[in-house]
Amino acid sequence: MPSSPDLAAGTAALERGAWDEARTHFQASIAARETPEALEQLGLAAWWLDDATLTFDARERAFRLYREAENAKGAARVALWLTWDCLAFRGDTAVAAGWLERARRLLTGHEQSAEYGWLLLRDGEVAIFRGHDTATAKDCGVKAAALGRATGDRGLEFTGLALEGLARVSAGDVQAGMRCLDEATAAATAGEVKELHTVGVVCCWQIFACERVRDYDRAAQWCARVQEFSKRWHLRPLSAICRTQYAGVLIWRGEWSAAEHELEAATHDFESARPPLVVQAFARLGELRLRQGRREDAERLFTAAGGNHLARLGLAALALERGAASDAAAQVDRVLAQVNDAEPTMRAGALELAVRAHLVAGEVPPAVRARDELDRIARAVNTAPLRASASAAEGWLLVHQRDMAGAISRFETAVAGYEQSGAPFETARARLDLAAALNAVGQGAAAEREARTALATLLSLGAEGEAGRARECLAGLGGPSRRAGKEKLTPRQVEILRFVAQGMSNPEIAARLKLSDHTVKRHVANLLTKLGLSSRAAAAAYAAQQGLL
């Protein structure tokens, strides 16, 4: 079919990123003669303009016209777009699934086409993001990239390569996966890929993979590249997603004001055009609020983010901070149950929290299992932040086992690893763990240095909750405040504290004292509150300092 002047002009405007101009030309072309090609292109212009109503109208009309013309590949191509539209604009998972299956049926007999390659990519997305099936996602990516090379569709080729990379990283094959992702993202942002929506997908998967392995230096470099690309091409949808991901990098690096600015802007963009995607920004902002010690705000944001993975972990961390260790452990265990072993990089953050929660709850065996798995993942992935995380987890267990020399060594390793990674908040928390362990073996001066350094960092960040913990640690170094706390304990609480320090769980203590598990749990919570301690590990260190062992 010959192209109309307006259709040609609109296509040229799309290639320049002139979305308003493109929309005008396509609408003029359709007014003269309604064609599926013009409607398909109008839907793309509307998509970049965040105009959901026009996007759906244009694409659904294009789909009908392609079907009437018996153009199966054209209809399937639009159906694949509508799959994404239903998720991003409306959150309609069932309708999205319907469009995906419609595209699959239409492409029967067209398995060597570029359109079939895009179907494979959609299947791969579903596999990795909903089914946690990295093997299927990798297979889809490899096949899609091969189809892209065979058909000359570079967008398909490099998106397939990026999906393969994300699947490899998620499965723990980090070096090979990152090579795929770096190549795909370099090609996408350098202009080899003409379809700008494809650039967005590749870039998002790159940064997502970096976060999974906590490679924040790499993520920061690509975030800067993507942000510059988004501004140059006026890509608001891509910019909002990248703002959310970039905020995660900023939070890690301690640039919290900048992170808040990015998240507020992303939230505004999502709420105005793509409400289902706003949960990503809510979860990130909740993480920031939790670090700031603003627990009520964090809880509200995590709750609003629903089933988001980060939000669920955030609620578990919040429960632990509030003293509900058993609830926190149960919550994080449910998260782990839904992320299978094929995605070890996604399990790492949950495992770290599981170690802490189970130890505070007095549940040592599951804490040991979580520590062991985290250590295996850290060794396989081999990034400094994950190695530091595994070292800290080992330190908590050693404190619980009263091996203070071993704990000091592991906490020192964690401090060094977090410092190397440019993570001031994590470094400060590890310093406080180190200070408590040093104090327990009589190294008061060294403990004070670590605690004061941590306090200064936390105050500069605005982390009020952890700063309070640092002040408690410093007060305990002098002795009087903790001695006063000891005097407030009942004889029963002193007895229970001694058993806690010996590494006994709540059920073991209950059996020894012929009390109910609930009563022991209440005693432990009360004595921690009286002493201003945050965990059973801290109680063990305190008991050693006071000579209660």
Side-chain angles (χ1 to χ4, degrees):
M1 179 181 293
S3 174
S4 72
D6 275 311
L7 180 56
T11 302
L14 271 184
E15 293 175 353
R16 298 195 310 273
W19 318 123
D20 285 305
E21 180 185 341
R23 176 178 57 186
T24 300
H25 283 298
F26 292 137
Q27 287 175 328
S29 177
I30 292 164
R33 182 183 178 189
E34 189 171 79
T35 65
E37 293 82 4
L39 284 164
E40 182 180 0
Q41 296 288 67
L42 175 60
L44 183 55
W47 189 87
W48 283 114
L49 290 167
D50 280 332
D51 187 338
T53 300
L54 182 57
T55 298
F56 278 101
D57 178 66
R59 285 178 171 162
E60 288 173 353
R61 289 159 64 194
F63 177 82
R64 289 193 296 270
L65 290 180
Y66 276 130
R67 290 293 294 131
E68 289 173 8
E70 298 186 353
N71 185 337
K73 290 195 293 185
R77 190 170 57 246
V78 175
L80 289 170
W81 265 112
L82 285 163
T83 301
W84 169 250
D85 296 336
C86 289
L87 294 172
F89 287 115
R90 297 173 177 172
D92 292 342
T93 55
V95 181
W99 279 114
L100 184 62
E101 292 310 308
R102 194 74 194 95
R104 192 185 313 281
R105 185 180 296 277
L106 287 166
L107 289 172
T108 301
H110 299 282
E111 286 79 7
Q112 299 306 310
S113 66
E115 284 80 6
Y116 190 81
W118 289 106
L119 173 64
L120 287 171
L121 290 177
R122 286 282 184 250
D123 284 340
E125 283 184 292
V126 171
I128 197 166
F129 290 112
R130 293 184 179 274
H132 305 293
D133 183 351
T134 56
T136 296
K138 175 187 169 185
D139 184 59
C140 288
V142 170
K143 290 178 178 177
L147 275 174
R149 289 189 290 272
T151 60
D153 188 330
R154 290 190 174 182
L156 175 58
E157 176 187 355
F158 288 115
T159 308
L161 184 63
L163 179 59
E164 178 191 351
L166 176 60
R168 285 182 178 275
V169 169
S170 299
D173 186 6
V174 178
Q175 289 188 346
M178 284 302 183
R179 285 198 297 271
C180 294
L181 283 159
D182 285 344
E183 180 186 354
T185 314
T189 56
E192 284 194 66
V193 176
K194 301 304 180 185
E195 303 88 352
L196 293 176
H197 68 278
T198 300
V199 177
V201 171
V202 170
C203 292
C204 286
W205 288 350
Q206 165 71 258
I207 299 168
F208 186 78
C210 289
E211 284 195 293
R212 281 203 163 181
V213 298
R214 304 188 191 181
D215 191 345
Y216 288 101
D217 286 340
R218 186 190 299 265
Q221 292 176 40
W222 281 118
C223 280
R225 173 78 166 153
V226 173
Q227 288 283 55
E228 184 275 330
F229 185 88
S230 300
K231 291 175 183 176
R232 183 178 1 128
W233 286 93
H234 311 293
L235 308 181
R236 285 187 59 206
L238 174 57
S239 180
I241 294 170
C242 288
R243 280 180 183 274
T244 303
Q245 293 177 313
Y246 186 41
V249 176
L250 293 170
I251 291 171
W252 176 263
R253 292 163 61 176
E255 301 173 36
W256 290 359
S257 295
E260 187 158 352
H261 172 75
E262 297 292 345
L263 288 170
E264 287 175 349
T267 298
H268 177 268
D269 286 348
F270 284 140
E271 287 182 330
S272 63
R274 300 163 190 255
L277 301 182
V278 77
V279 296
Q280 301 175 35
F282 284 164
R284 295 281 189 196
L285 190 54
E287 179 187 2
L288 178 58
R289 293 288 180 257
L290 184 57
R291 289 174 178 236
Q292 291 170 329
R294 297 167 58 176
R295 294 178 178 176
E296 290 73 20
D297 290 339
E299 182 175 25
R300 175 178 54 80
L301 288 160
F302 288 143
T303 302
N308 179 276
H309 179 78
L310 286 177
R312 294 178 67 197
L313 289 181
L315 285 170
L318 187 60
L320 182 59
E321 287 200 4
R322 287 173 168 169
S326 296
D327 290 343
Q331 288 182 52
V332 75
D333 284 348
R334 285 195 292 272
V335 173
L336 285 166
Q338 294 179 4
V339 182
N340 59 44
D341 293 341
E343 277 194 303
T345 56
M346 192 174 183
R347 291 175 64 84
L351 289 166
E352 178 184 349
L353 182 57
V355 176
R356 290 173 54 205
H358 282 297
L359 278 179
V360 175
E363 300 160 355
V364 179
V368 171
R369 289 194 295 271
R371 183 277 315 272
D372 290 345
E373 184 181 353
L374 177 59
D375 185 62
R376 289 194 298 271
I377 293 170
R379 290 177 184 276
V381 173
N382 200 32
T383 59
L386 277 180
R387 292 195 303 269
S389 173
S391 293
E394 176 70 11
W396 302 329
L397 268 170
L398 290 170
V399 167
H400 189 82
Q401 296 163 359
R402 293 177 287 135
D403 180 358
M404 292 303 172
I408 289 169
S409 175
R410 303 314 294 152
F411 289 142
E412 287 175 337
T413 300
V415 168
Y418 284 133
E419 275 192 315
Q420 178 187 341
S421 308
F425 181 76
E426 282 72 15
T427 303
R429 293 212 303 179
R431 284 190 188 281
L432 291 179
D433 290 331
L434 175 57
L438 287 167
N439 191 51
V441 297
Q443 298 185 38
E448 183 174 357
R449 284 196 301 272
E450 297 295 341
R452 289 197 182 282
T453 301
L455 179 59
T457 298
L458 294 166
L459 290 175
S460 69
L461 290 172
E464 289 302 322
E466 289 297 315
R469 179 186 165 208
R471 293 189 186 96
E472 290 174 3
C473 181
L474 285 167
L477 296 178
S481 63
R482 290 292 168 84
R483 283 195 295 272
K486 178 183 175 182
E487 291 167 4
K488 295 178 183 177
L489 296 180
T490 66
R492 175 66 82 186
Q493 287 173 336
V494 171
E495 188 176 25
I496 289 175
L497 174 60
R498 184 176 293 112
F499 288 135
V500 167
Q502 292 172 2
M504 294 175 63
S505 67
N506 286 352
E508 289 171 336
I509 298 171
R512 178 71 68 88
L513 298 178
K514 295 181 173 56
L515 298 173
S516 70
D517 288 358
H518 177 74
T519 298
V520 172
K521 181 179 179 181
R522 188 178 69 250
H523 277 310
V524 171
N526 288 340
L527 71 87
L528 290 176
T529 299
K530 282 186 177 181
L531 295 174
L533 299 170
S534 59
S535 67
R536 296 172 82 99
Y542 167 75
Q545 176 192 1
Q546 295 295 322
L548 295 177
L549 299 180

